[in-house]
Amino acid sequence: MRQSLLPLLAIALLASGCGQRPAPDADTGGSAKGDFGPPQGHPIKAVLTSPPHVPPPTGRDKPAKVIVELEVVEKEMAISEGVTYTFWTFGGTVPGSFIRVRQGDTVEFHLMNAPDSKMPHNIDLHGVTGPGGGAASSFTAPGHRSQFTFKALNAGLYVYHCATAPVGMHVANGMYGLILVEPPGGMPPVDREYYVMQGDFYTTGRYREKGHQPFDMAKAIDEHPTYVLFNGSEGSLTGDRALAAKTGERVRLYVGNGGPNLVSSFHVIGEIFDKVQTEGGTHPQENVQTTLIPAGGAAIMDFRLEVPGSYVLVDHSIFRAFNKGALAILKADGPENLAIYSGKEVDEMYLGDRALPNLAAVSQAAAAAKAGDLTVEQQIDAGKVLFSGTCSTCHQANGEGHPGVFPPLAKSDYIAKDPKRLPQVMIGGLTGKVTVNGVEYDSVMPPMGQLTDDEVANIATYVLNSWGNPGGRITKAEARDIRAKSPVGSVAAH
Amino acid sequence: MARRAAVLLALLPLCGQAAPPGDRYVTVPGGAFRSALRYEDAADGTTVAPYRLMRRPVTNAEFLAFVRAHPEWQRGRAAVVLAEPRYLSQWSGPLSLGDARPDQPVTWVSWFAAAAYCAAQSARLPTWTEWEYAAAADETRRDAREDPAWRERILSWYAQPSTGALRAVGGQPPNVYGVQGLHGLVWEWVDDASALLVSADNREQGAADKLRFCGAAALSTDDRENYATLMRVALLSSVQAADATGNLGFRCAKDLP
């Protein structure tokens, strides 16, 4: 085992030296192998992007000096429809601007704090090697600029955030984002890259309570968020703003979790991640349904879209998705691919045995029957409800049945010939050949012994008075008599 | 505008307490006090001596009068080492307010300028402890800091972006001492602001590099729940004495005669 690893390691070392990706299981060497010497060429100004966009690959095979200029802005923005919140932002958005550099780059970081800011701010980048991750070197008063420089020694996807007192409040107000440190060979090419970041938010008002909502420190300390959101506001990635892709494309998501409190069970409904670089690290896991993203952590997900439609990004701690806002949409356009996913093939009612939508009509009819003043109308109403529960599954809600399998009850000459056949078949079942409206059927209807005499009478009366049948009524007494004569029905009698 | 300011001034004495009409200062009685900051030499709290504190932060109109009388503190004349280039940049000119309203608190003032203003009034800037002591009060209590509602009120100011115009001084309810606008208006310079060097990285806890600080500056916070105070200290420790910001003003204090 040990022996077989050696050649791999050798390859890995070679690879990192000449700008290729390490073999899958090889050790990258971490920070000890991340210094590729002094920066070469002219300094480069980093391209920063607002979510959900990701800057283009650096496309470099040499370390460079990269200048990052990030401005802190405190601003009021919508957190939900009709609800505003004062966010503290890196670059004017939540999450903050996406930063992309290459391993070995020397990053000259400028943090500007807008003149109309109320608070001092700083930045801790998890991709920095050094105490505080830059925090102590970037403490910046309103209307000031700080500068510090670091060498990005480790490849990976890293969270950055504000670390000024009180840290929790600064993070809860949206002060986080992602910095990608590309491995020397760059990221494997894909068709689309997107930037999504989860965060939990704490407002004094309830979820979706309108108006301007202040931060609620007590809820934050208790870790009871009002909102759990992707990209800082409800609906930031739905409707017209949904992430877009086409079938056949390979998509990569850079997903971070700013917290401040919650851990995310990140899942895309209807997709399986072909590859996940869990925790933003180097070696991918394959074929993953849901990946855990810690607060202050990130992950990279690659997948290929085969089937068109809407894919829903959620925190699978699922109440957060449907009751606190942690929902986003990835919309895939393209031709259907029925061999992989058929779409809906069957859509019919299944209500279980007794799961009836509204039993009021049934109980009214039962009460009336007991009182002895049951009308035909009451029987029809009760029968309609019962029919939709038990009978419509085969005979269909419109009584048309299913050609060649389930005989029609609508305009049925079989019923017209003898209306008592209805209670008889319900109680005793029917097996074998039967001709209805000139069509021969040969199948089995089991006895519906679970139905009471009342129910049999009401269903039969409903059928008799529906869909062009001759009308009339079946009484409870008639149903009872039929059951008494039926060998099967008597067994199931109540 | 000038007339409205005059009316406000006329009304002011009504709000005050235990002070002669027209006096810009109130007397804050001394007492025992435990700061939200952990002073190593005051583990069991400290005693604040009685002092006099301005009812309201210094306004644009008042500061304009000062720079008229003291041209060396006019914008463009004050040395950059004492007041950064943006000093009084909200005014339209060295001696004209422009869009800045006379009754708004003066901001974009450096610590040096604030201290010079107070000295010209035979006063001084309050110490942090004096400021914190007066600011611990609400309308009815001398120390309301344990009341979550008091904290919530202060935090709600922090939750408002400061893109709108500053509010006029004098509109805030006087606290139990008769002092107005300690919270919810502007940050305020204190005499020992440069000693309030809390760590730039709040998370360093006990391992802070104390060698960077001297004297009373080996500070850390004692009351972690008191974010309201913590954030004010964070702001003060982020600025240098020549710095100015659009939200940082001041008021003066005096010893008792």
Side-chain angles (χ1 to χ4, degrees):
Chain A
M1 191 56 176
R2 184 162 297 186
Q3 222 166 358
S4 68
L5 270 178
L6 282 173
L8 272 178
L9 274 172
I11 291 166
L13 294 179
L14 279 172
S16 65
C18 60
Q20 281 164 14
R21 278 183 291 285
D25 295 317
D27 183 346
T28 63
S31 58
K33 300 263 189 253
D35 188 344
F36 307 141
Q40 300 179 31
H42 293 293
I44 295 164
K45 197 171 171 204
V47 176
L48 305 186
T49 56
S50 299
H53 303 292
V54 177
T58 63
R60 277 186 280 106
D61 56 2
K62 291 182 178 61
K65 179 169 183 178
V66 179
I67 296 164
V68 176
E69 292 186 320
L70 192 56
E71 186 189 27
V72 175
V73 182
E74 301 170 0
K75 63 196 279 202
E76 196 175 300
M77 294 190 286
I79 192 169
S80 182
E81 177 91 29
V83 190
T84 56
Y85 185 80
T86 301
F87 292 92
W88 298 347
T89 72
F90 286 109
T93 55
V94 176
S97 306
F98 196 106
I99 306 166
R100 186 168 192 157
V101 300
R102 179 182 179 269
Q103 187 181 13
D105 280 349
T106 296
V107 182
E108 183 183 292
F109 204 101
H110 299 257
L111 187 72
M112 290 92 77
N113 192 354
D116 60 5
S117 286
K118 206 173 257 178
M119 299 292 162
H121 299 285
N122 64 5
I123 191 166
D124 166 359
L125 299 118
H126 290 181
V128 168
T129 302
S137 315
S138 60
F139 189 46
T140 310
H144 285 251
R145 170 200 288 259
S146 297
Q147 179 185 330
F148 65 100
T149 302
F150 66 94
K151 190 166 271 190
L153 295 178
N154 295 75
L157 182 63
Y158 299 97
V159 167
Y160 65 78
H161 63 91
C162 185
T164 300
V167 181
M169 182 174 177
H170 282 254
V171 172
N173 283 344
M175 297 199 76
Y176 43 75
L178 292 180
I179 176 170
L180 173 66
V181 181
E182 292 178 351
M187 297 296 291
V190 290
D191 298 303
R192 289 177 196 265
E193 295 184 317
Y194 283 118
Y195 169 26
V196 177
M197 203 155 178
Q198 181 173 327
D200 28 303
F201 294 87
Y202 304 81
T203 63
T204 52
R206 294 182 317 275
Y207 174 64
R208 287 187 175 169
E209 191 171 321
K210 303 297 180 204
H212 184 75
Q213 292 295 332
F215 169 70
D216 189 318
M217 181 63 84
K219 282 184 190 163
I221 292 170
D222 291 344
E223 304 188 14
H224 290 153
T226 327
Y227 293 88
V228 180
L229 301 171
F230 294 124
N231 290 4
S233 79
E234 213 175 7
S236 63
L237 295 172
T238 60
D240 293 346
R241 290 182 286 179
L243 304 176
K246 295 191 176 71
T247 53
E249 288 185 331
R250 290 158 303 161
V251 175
R252 175 174 297 139
L253 299 180
Y254 296 99
V255 183
N257 182 8
N261 289 320
L262 300 187
V263 166
S264 174
S265 302
F266 189 79
H267 176 77
V268 177
I269 297 173
E271 242 327 314
I272 297 154
F273 305 130
D274 297 332
K275 278 186 185 177
V276 177
Q277 286 174 249
T278 50
E279 296 163 5
T282 301
H283 300 295
Q285 171 67 286
E286 293 189 68
N287 306 317
V288 175
Q289 58 189 311
T290 300
T291 193
L292 205 63
I293 309 179
I300 305 170
M301 286 142 245
D302 289 15
F303 51 92
R304 186 172 179 276
L305 289 165
E306 276 84 13
V307 179
S310 290
Y311 294 85
V312 186
L313 284 58
V314 295
D315 180 339
H316 215 295
S317 295
I318 208 73
F319 272 102
R320 299 173 189 169
F322 297 105
N323 300 74
K324 295 185 174 177
L327 274 178
I329 303 284
L330 169 67
K331 196 159 180 304
D333 285 327
E336 288 290 351
N337 190 345
L338 299 182
I340 291 174
Y341 184 71
S342 71
K344 191 160 233 171
E345 291 179 313
V346 174
D347 182 359
E348 61 187 24
M349 197 177 305
Y350 174 73
L351 293 169
D353 205 12
R354 308 285 287 195
L356 300 177
N358 179 3
L359 287 167
V362 177
S363 51
Q364 274 162 20
K370 204 168 262 179
D373 57 3
L374 180 67
T375 65
V376 174
E377 282 68 35
Q378 284 173 320
Q379 277 195 282
I380 292 171
D381 289 347
K384 183 178 185 180
V385 173
L386 294 161
F387 184 90
S388 74
T390 306
C391 319
S392 68
T393 313
C394 298
H395 293 290
Q396 303 302 303
N398 58 8
E400 299 286 0
H402 204 83
V405 187
F406 306 123
L409 302 178
K411 234 179 191 169
S412 161
D413 59 2
Y414 182 81
I415 293 169
K417 214 169 282 174
D418 180 8
K420 284 228 166 62
R421 279 173 168 171
L422 276 169
Q424 280 162 2
V425 172
M426 274 188 265
I427 291 166
L430 181 63
T431 303
K433 285 183 183 166
V434 58
T435 302
V436 181
N437 296 348
V439 178
E440 190 174 86
Y441 293 84
D442 187 1
S443 50
V444 176
M445 168 161 163
M448 298 292 146
Q450 80 280 9
L451 296 173
T452 64
D453 296 334
D454 267 325
E455 289 167 341
V456 168
N458 294 343
I459 292 169
T461 302
Y462 167 67
V463 172
L464 280 176
N465 288 281
S466 304
W467 317 307
N469 286 327
R473 105 190 265 188
I474 300 292
T475 65
K476 180 182 180 179
E478 286 169 321
R480 188 170 51 225
D481 287 348
I482 290 165
R483 193 189 300 277
K485 292 177 197 149
S486 159
V488 180
S490 59
V491 173
H494 288 247
Chain B
M1 189 54 99
R3 203 184 322 176
R4 197 166 88 198
V7 171
L8 271 174
L9 279 171
L11 284 174
L12 249 179
L14 296 177
C15 313
Q17 229 188 5
D23 195 338
R24 295 172 73 189
Y25 292 82
V26 293
T27 298
V28 179
F33 185 63
R34 183 185 287 274
S35 172
L37 301 180
R38 191 188 306 136
Y39 289 88
E40 286 188 342
D41 56 351
D44 298 321
T46 184
T47 303
V48 178
Y51 66 104
R52 298 186 36 85
L53 186 64
M54 273 188 179
R55 295 168 187 281
R56 306 175 302 158
V58 174
T59 64
N60 279 322
E62 289 161 348
F63 204 80
L64 180 62
F66 164 71
V67 298
R68 280 214 169 95
H70 299 270
E72 71 275 20
W73 282 106
Q74 285 170 15
R75 189 174 95 186
R77 292 209 201 177
V80 173
V81 290
L82 300 181
E84 64 154 281
R86 289 171 296 180
Y87 172 62
L88 295 177
S89 57
Q90 80 278 34
W91 294 2
S92 60
L95 293 172
S96 56
L97 297 186
D99 289 338
R101 298 208 318 260
D103 56 354
Q104 283 175 324
V106 66
T107 56
W108 291 113
V109 283
S110 66
W111 180 91
F112 291 112
Y117 176 95
C118 292
Q121 326 287 318
S122 307
R124 56 176 173 80
L125 287 169
T127 64
W128 166 256
T129 306
E130 286 171 339
W131 195 95
E132 188 190 5
Y133 177 74
D138 67 1
E139 289 86 333
T140 56
R141 295 166 290 188
R142 289 175 60 165
D143 191 346
R145 292 177 297 169
E146 291 299 312
D147 183 353
W150 177 87
R151 288 177 185 169
E152 205 52 53
R153 237 164 75 186
I154 296 168
L155 288 174
S156 73
W157 176 60
Y158 298 170
Q160 294 160 13
S162 56
T163 41
L166 288 172
R167 283 183 289 166
V169 301
Q172 298 75 37
N175 73 9
V176 70
Y177 306 116
V179 181
Q180 292 173 285
L182 286 164
H183 298 291
L185 197 54
V186 285
W187 307 113
E188 294 183 18
W189 281 113
V190 294
D191 181 57
D192 48 354
S194 65
L196 289 174
L197 294 173
V198 294
S199 166
D201 185 346
N202 167 248
R203 305 155 301 170
E204 281 177 352
Q205 308 298 342
D209 182 6
K210 292 181 182 176
L211 289 178
R212 285 193 295 166
F213 316 138
C214 55
L219 294 178
S220 52
T221 50
D222 222 14
D223 180 1
R224 298 211 158 270
E225 284 220 1
N226 201 337
Y227 286 91
T229 302
L230 204 59
M231 292 170 81
R232 190 169 279 271
V233 174
L235 184 281
L236 286 173
S237 62
S238 77
V239 286
Q240 306 288 322
D243 287 346
T245 86
N247 284 299
L248 180 52
F250 71 101
R251 72 179 78 212
C252 307
K254 283 180 184 178
D255 295 330
L256 288 187

